[in-house]
Amino acid sequence: MSLFLIAALPFLGAILPALLIRAGRNASSSAAGAVSLLAFIGLLLNAPAVLRGEVVTAKLTWLPGIGLNANFMLDGLGLLFAGLILGIGLLIILYARFYLSREDPMGQFYTYLLLFQGAMVGIVLSDNILLLLIFWELTSLSSFLLIGYWKHLPEGRQGARMALAVTGSGGLAMIAGMLILGNIVGSYDLSVILQNKALIQSSPYYVPALILILIGCFTKSAQFPFHFWLPHAMAAPTPVSAYLHSATMVKAGLFLMARMWPVLAGTEIWFYIVATTGLVTMLLGAIIANFKDDLKGLLAFSTVSHLGLITMLLGIGTPIAAMAAIFHIINHATFKAALFMSAGIVDHETHTRDIKRLGGLRHLMPITFTIATIASLSMAGIPPFNGFLSKEMMLEETTHTLWANSHYLLPVIAVLAAVFSAGYSFRYIAHVFLGPKRSDYPATPHDPGPGLWLSPAFLVVLVVLIGLFPNAIVGPLVESATAAVVNDAHPPHFHAKLWHGFTPALYMSMAAIAGGLLVLYAHARLERGWLAARRPEAKQIFDSLMGAATRTSRVITDTLHDGALTRYAAIFVLFSLSLAGYAYFSGTTVTPARGTTDASALPILAWVCLVGATLCVVFFHRNRLLSLVVMGIIGLIVSLSFNYLSAPDLALTQISVEVVTIILLLLALNFMPQETPVESTTGRRFRDAVLAIGGGVGVAGLAYAIMTSNSVFPTISEFHLANSYKGGGGTNVVNVILVDFRGFDTFGEIIVLGIAAIIIYAITEAILSSRVRARLLNRKPTFPQAGDAHPLMMVVATRVMMPIALMVAAYIFFRGHNMPGGGFVAGLIAAIAVIMQYMASGFGWATERQRLPYHGIIGSGVLIAAMTGMGAWFNGMPFLTSAFGYIHLEPLEEFEWATAALFDLGVFLAVVGAVMLALESLARYAWQPGIASEHPMDINPERDDALDELQES
Amino acid sequence: MNHWIVAPIVLPAVIAPFIIMVIRYHLDLQRIFSVASIVALNIIAVVLLMQASTGEIQVYELGDWPAPFGIVLVLDRLSAMMVLLTTLLSLAVVLYVIGSGWDARGRHFHALLQFQLMGVLGAFLTGDAFNLFVFFEVLLIASYGLMIHSGGGKRLAAGVQYVVYNLLGSTLFLFALGTLYAVTGTLNMADLAARVAELPADDTALLRVGAVLLLLVFAIKAAVLPLHFWLPASYANAPLPVAALFAIMTKVGAYAILRFYTQVFGPDVAATEGLVGDWLLPAAMLTLAVGAIGILGAKEIGRLMAFGAIASMGTLLIAISLFTPQGAAAAMYYMIHSTLTAGLIFLIADLIMERRGGAIVPHRPMPQIGLIASLYFVAAIALAGMPPLSGFVGKLLVMDAARDAGLGDTTWVIWAFILVSSLVTIVGLARAGSILFWKSYDPDFVNELESDALPKIDEETRIEPDPLETAPEPMPALSFVAAFGLLIGLVLLTVLSGPVLDYTTATADQIFDRAAYLETVLKRP
């Protein structure tokens, strides 16, 4: 079977259990089992070739740009691990079917499990380290889901997050390491990397790459000081612990160290880091395991210890040690998975995992007892079980290794660790199964059905068989895997036997067993001492670290983003000023050739007014109405300056805009307090003043620099001047630019205007359909209202002015193309004409006479402009291409037609509609019952007379 | 003349006023026209992409005026890619909005959406600096309308900040354009590039000011530290599907930086040397850090995602600020990823918000919790840049590009920022997800928190349903279709990362080839 399929099967099949759970738990678990079995068979089909020494590969180009390819390979090491993952996976699937209760969502469980399985298989089959990284992190993610599977348990949630944080961070370190490694070699393909030992080890980046990769391995394989997450991951359901935390995931780190062994191992630094870490972990885990009362806690620390053992063997760096490591990986997987499952059975049947509440189970649960005892004895290193063989190989190896210039240090520590290891193994038997039967179990214990004990039983059968016939059962596999690890087709011959004669290792083993019995005997005393000692609690440290990190991040975030717009704006101004200042002063300047114009009296007067008015706004801004009036002055002076500087179009537009804006602002002010309250401190106002002055000086400086600068290049406006009449058909260049040269900009801008209006409308709708409406309706005016809201004189005057104003608008519109004017200004004037009616005769009266909806006017304006633009398409020309011509009709003089006028009509309509919709919307806030009279004038003698007459009659 | 180029701008610009004018009271019709328009835009975008992928740059001269005197639209690989990205995202958003019934909670949603699209698409297609300003205004004002859609006190307050801050940016944009026009006398981007390159070396100060002001404008849009302050509150308080659409808005800023500071003020232009990358790179790294830190501490789902968006922009800008073709190619790949992801996370945030409120506290299990939890899980993977999704690929590309950019030891700093932020992000997202989806099953929490932990709805500004108008039934299936659509997009981006990277690499080469661009736009031999 193709390696692609083997790696992909668990992923593809992962959806099945989640779906089939609706057909029952058996359907769900069988589906998971079938998927794993299929993959397992696929693997076995490849096994003969691999054992012959071939490397099976499958390659697929994925992202050649960075060397990420979906390349898989299967060699001895991969076969060993994939076999463990899929084989034990099958057993776990069977076990979990009977372990999980009816309340547990089993479909999810198997889905997560298969995802995890796929990720693991992916790791061990990858021939590309980037691909490997992907699977690597996937195991972290899927194990997060599995550890947190019992989501109602806080331990599960916290354990899951801790595991993710630790293994995830290791994975990220590894990303960096792998990238460096790949860069040294120039390829991310393992098969290439593994051939470049000399290149890698001589690179200056070898050490950083090694350390980063090792961080990844150590976190995953729970090596000191990253070991603390593993015991907390035990909050997961037992099948997960048995699978992930003994047999597979925690071995991923070991796998990678083994995988990289040919190129990373063999140096001093590798030896000291890896062997020492392994040694410390082995000893520490073994000691702590003796004092754990939680069955799974004990097993977790024993796993830590054994992982340390294997790490140490890999660290030693000799082929024999590597072989011992491989052998122990197999053995540990068998007995530890069996132990976890037996612990799960005990938990399942007695409803407790507390060793202090257990004991005497051997009579009540004989099958479980047998399984657990054989597995424990193997773990303790008792012959004839497989654990003895590999442990002896390890002890033997330590005696050949020089550590810190000493021949004795390593063996002594290893024996010490073995002593404690035997101690907790014995304790597991003695304190759980031996001893007197108790009467206070939380539930009556009895052996479970075969569904639960079959899987561990199968494993202990292996434990015994491998112990008795190691060479026949696992010999070829170990040799083939070792060949892959040491990257040598002819690895040392695997020759394990129970009896080697009286070797140092035998004495060490015996010492360890004796010491283990002693530790068990003295357990109560040792435990008192242990409990009395001050120990760092990893969970507390981790929790307080995480808590501190979360709090700090909140403080940072909340301080930075405190919601004060003024501060945000202050930072903006400061930052912009600094950068612009830096840009200017780091550039080069020449003395400007352009001189300044002399100031005559009029501009000086306008300037004084402008500055004066601006200062007035600064000083009187708390009185909103007053500042609005002063702003009107500023606008007026700006318009006048445009006029003075020969820009009549701009002046016209500016002054119309001013009028409309002020009216709209007045309407808005109606709903705000009269005065702005003082909210900022003196210091802050000083800061703001400094920034404001700085900003002002900066902008003034920029303007000055621009106005006095030398023009190096001709501007594009020269083209506009030259082509305005010839190409655009108008003599007013400003207008031709607006409707023709840059009509597209205008098109955008009228849309902006239209959007603004419909937003004002939408906000009004939103606010008036909330409870604010009630408050608006019951609003009492702050000031006494005028008795005559719609004075007669004004009503009459505005009605008279309406046609005149509209006429002016039409005039301005039509002359626009050749003289100052145009659709925009005309629209504003027309709008003002209508606004006058609203102001004078009242909202109700005016609305009643307004039959065209303003929405429609805006829409039609934009549409007309767009249609005019599209019209050019039918002419085969680009959007907005204008056409014009001249018509001579008697007795009229010759006049011009231009599509630009149609476009300008669109502008006109959009402006009118937008202004009026905004005004109408704002006015609606002020509506109160009784405010709108049906008459345009509140006081009308004629009406009063008629009323009198009516009453008289 | 290839009128396809202007179609993405004209189509929404016609549909929107049509909606306003004719069908403003008929939500069902608005939905039909809005979706139809977006589907059509997608088709147009695909056609444009196919045209652009030949490598030929096409110019559309509006009003038949040649560049630099009139306005031109320019279609190249980059703009075609951005157009398609926008239309794809908007399709998901519009389906979601219809499914969740958000569009019925206020006026003119669809019209504003169309205008928004017009603004964004126009910004991607225009070849004229001032026209870019106009489109920035269109998209700003339309986005403001979308942001405050359906009102509410907090939302309106956040809207004021949003619009004021962005208007500051618009002001700066005008200053920048004024300055550049004063120095170069032109507004067309290609012409600008030609003249900038010819500028005498003894008079560069003003041009530098213009260049840096323009960069600040784009940096505001792209939410680069310290100009990102407008983003968290606006995104968190906007209707969350709108925030999903805004995923493309920050990209407009990133796009503009990529466009201007390669083609106009490229790394090889002497006059603007040392102005861009020197501060943009550290700022981008800090942006990433602030985003990640914000994720870790977030107490509210909208803010969580908002900081997620900031972090994502940080990574993107790191890639951009390398200003190498390889960095640009990585940036463009990451841009696609970041847009889809940001869209997805805000849609998920809305799914959660609608069912249980925005506070990240335990709450009794919400409807469809399983589906939402799986979406959240996948989106979290994408956001944190964990394998196997495109975030990881993108991150690798960025790190790779950083290494090859010849930055010396700065490379390690960049790597550290990227990797550590990933970690902080994943820890923060795990924390939030665990509370949102797991703690809800913990009987200890839910009972005590049931009553008072729910966020108070802003009573006074809550919209009272109009008894006369019957609100359309929500269609949750459609919402999920939209969210899963984005997710599938991410999966495809991952699987097809090879061809996508080929495209972005060719794109990067194209934008770094200034001569070809000038030749085509200015029709110079």
Side-chain angles (χ1 to χ4, degrees), chain B residues 168-185:
Chain B
L168 289 175
S170 298
T171 315
L172 216 52
F173 205 159
L174 277 184
F175 290 169
L177 288 178
T179 312
L180 291 177
Y181 187 77
V183 178
T184 60

Side-chain angles (χ1 to χ4, degrees), chain A residues 417-472:
Chain A
V419 165
F420 283 102
S421 176
Y424 63 68
S425 306
F426 296 148
R427 181 169 175 238
Y428 187 81
I429 305 171
H431 287 183
V432 177
F433 294 99
L434 304 181
K437 204 190 313 184
R438 300 171 63 147
S439 54
D440 59 344
Y441 302 118
T444 322
H446 54 79
D447 263 325
L452 275 181
W453 60 254
L454 261 178
S455 297
F458 178 79
L459 288 171
V460 291
V461 168
L462 280 182
V463 165
V464 176
L465 287 178
I466 296 175
L468 294 175
F469 316 106
N471 303 325

Side-chain angles (χ1 to χ4, degrees), chain A residues 541-553:
Chain A
I541 298 173
F542 181 82
D543 283 351
S544 58
L545 267 178
M546 292 306 284
T550 311
R551 275 192 305 279
T552 316
S553 71

Side-chain angles (χ1 to χ4, degrees), chain B residues 182-220:
Chain B
V183 178
T184 60
T186 190
L187 290 169
N188 177 283
M189 278 150 57
D191 200 28
L192 209 53
R195 297 188 183 194
V196 164
E198 291 165 13
L199 194 78
D202 63 347
D203 197 6
T204 59
L206 259 186
L207 181 83
R208 289 169 69 83
V209 174
V212 89
L213 290 183
L214 200 59
L215 183 62
L216 285 169
V217 176
F218 302 148
I220 291 179

Side-chain angles (χ1 to χ4, degrees), chain A residues 283 286-287 290 380 391 395 412-426 508-520:
Chain A
L283 183 61
I287 295 174
N290 276 287
K391 190 169 269 187
L395 293 171
V412 167
I413 298 177
V415 170
L416 200 60
V419 165
F420 283 102
S421 176
Y424 63 68
S425 306
F426 296 148
M508 288 162 85
S509 275
M510 283 159 63
I513 293 165
L517 287 170
L518 205 66
V519 167
L520 176 68

Side-chain angles (χ1 to χ4, degrees), chain A residues 561 563 586 714 742 745 879, chain B residues 60 128 131 161 195 208 228:
Chain A
H561 312 90
S586 59
R742 302 191 67 93
D745 283 344
F879 190 67
Chain B
Y60 189 79
D128 187 279
N131 196 235
Q161 293 211 347
R195 297 188 183 194
R208 289 169 69 83
H228 70 291

Side-chain angles (χ1 to χ4, degrees), chain B residues 153-292:
Chain B
K154 273 181 82 176
R155 186 169 296 153
L156 289 175
V160 169
Q161 293 211 347
Y162 172 74
V163 83
V164 168
Y165 202 89
N166 277 283
L167 282 177
L168 289 175
S170 298
T171 315
L172 216 52
F173 205 159
L174 277 184
F175 290 169
L177 288 178
T179 312
L180 291 177
Y181 187 77
V183 178
T184 60
T186 190
L187 290 169
N188 177 283
M189 278 150 57
D191 200 28
L192 209 53
R195 297 188 183 194
V196 164
E198 291 165 13
L199 194 78
D202 63 347
D203 197 6
T204 59
L206 259 186
L207 181 83
R208 289 169 69 83
V209 174
V212 89
L213 290 183
L214 200 59
L215 183 62
L216 285 169
V217 176
F218 302 148
I220 291 179
K221 278 276 179 287
V224 181
L225 209 75
L227 304 171
H228 70 291
F229 289 107
W230 59 273
L231 193 144
S234 349
Y235 279 35
N237 289 306
L240 292 175
V242 169
L245 182 70
F246 285 6
I248 199 70
M249 297 263 294
T250 42
K251 305 304 181 297
V252 177
Y255 159 85
I257 294 176
L258 199 53
R259 174 72 80 192
F260 268 85
Y261 295 89
T262 53
Q263 290 190 325
V264 181
F265 309 106
D268 55 329
V269 172
T272 50
E273 211 185 332
L275 267 189
V276 187
D278 288 358
W279 72 269
L280 195 60
L281 183 60
M285 287 195 271
L286 289 177
T287 310
L288 175 59
V290 163

